[in-house]
Amino acid sequence: MDQSPSKKLSVSLSINDEIRQVEILPVDSLLYVLRTKLGLTGAKPGCLNGDCGACSVVMNGTVYKSCIMLAIEAVGQKITTIEGLKDSPIQKAFVENFAFQCGYCTPGFIMNCHSLLLKHPHPTYETMKEWLSSNICRCTCYEEIEEAVLSVIENREKPMSNELEKDE
C-alpha cells in the first residue's frame, strides 16, 4: 500500500452523532478537515501548535486539541465539536454569565468545560482551575468562565421539585 502523503484516503468520521464521509491526506490535521472539508468552523485555528485550545474538540469524552491531531487518528472515534453542543447547559451558562469577550477562544473553552464536567461532574475548584489553564484567552480573566462552570454544577444539584414549584 502506498503511504505517500499525497495519496488521498476516503474515510468515515463520526462527528456530532453523524457519520461523515470525507477524503483526506494522511498529513491533514483534524482541525483542517473539520473546517475546510466538513464546514465545521467552530473549532478555531489559534496557535496551531496545541497551546491555546481554540481548536478543542471532545473525542470519546476527552478534550483534544484538533490542530495537533491527524484526522486519520479520529477514524473510529466519536467526535463532538462545538456545533454538536448546541443549546447544551455549558453553552447556555457561558451566555448567561458573559463568559466571553471577542469570542474567538469561546468554543474551545466550552469544549474543555464540557469535557471537564463529563469527567468530573462535581470538580473541586482546583480541578476546574487546572482544566481551564489548558486554554488561553487574551481578552478577559477567567472569572466569568469559572462562574459559568459553577452555575452548571449548581443547576445539576437543584432538586426537580424546585423546578416544578416555579411552574405553578
Side-chain angles (χ1 to χ4, degrees):
M1 183 164 120
D2 182 10
Q3 294 292 321
S4 116
S6 60
K7 183 163 173 87
K8 288 188 177 182
L9 305 169
S10 181
V11 298
S12 296
L13 296 174
S14 174
I15 302 174
N16 302 327
D17 296 322
E18 185 180 322
I19 301 297
R20 304 282 302 266
Q21 195 69 26
V22 64
E23 282 196 355
I24 64 169
L25 294 174
V27 297
D28 287 343
S29 71
L30 180 57
L31 176 63
Y32 173 80
V33 170
L34 290 172
R35 292 181 60 81
T36 307
K37 305 270 184 169
L38 298 173
L40 298 169
T41 58
K44 304 294 186 213
C47 64
L48 296 176
N49 64 9
D51 289 332
C52 75
C55 66
S56 295
V57 298
V58 173
M59 191 166 62
N60 300 327
T62 301
V63 69
Y64 286 91
K65 294 176 180 172
S66 64
C67 72
I68 57 171
M69 177 177 207
L70 295 175
I72 196 73
E73 295 176 284
V75 173
Q77 310 302 318
K78 182 180 173 171
I79 303 161
T80 304
T81 67
I82 190 68
E83 292 89 351
L85 290 185
K86 184 178 181 190
D87 298 325
S88 66
I90 191 65
Q91 188 177 45
K92 289 178 183 177
F94 265 66
V95 172
E96 291 165 0
N97 288 279
F98 306 102
F100 51 86
Q101 280 189 8
C102 85
Y104 196 82
C105 67
T106 303
F109 269 104
I110 291 173
M111 298 309 296
N112 190 11
C113 294
H114 175 72
S115 183
L116 164 66
L117 295 172
L118 288 175
K119 300 269 183 208
H120 305 279
H122 301 281
T124 64
Y125 185 74
E126 291 77 25
T127 299
M128 179 180 62
K129 294 278 283 183
E130 182 181 335
W131 276 64
L132 291 178
S133 72
S134 71
N135 287 54
I136 298 172
C137 175
R138 292 186 172 97
C139 295
T140 187
C141 67
Y142 292 26
E143 187 175 333
E144 293 85 1
I145 296 170
E146 292 169 5
E147 289 172 5
V149 174
L150 293 172
S151 74
V152 171
I153 295 166
E154 289 169 8
N155 284 334
R156 286 180 177 171
E157 294 173 352
K158 287 181 183 175
M160 290 298 285
S161 60
N162 286 352
E163 294 300 318
L164 293 174
E165 291 170 7
K166 286 180 188 175
D167 292 336
E168 293 176 359

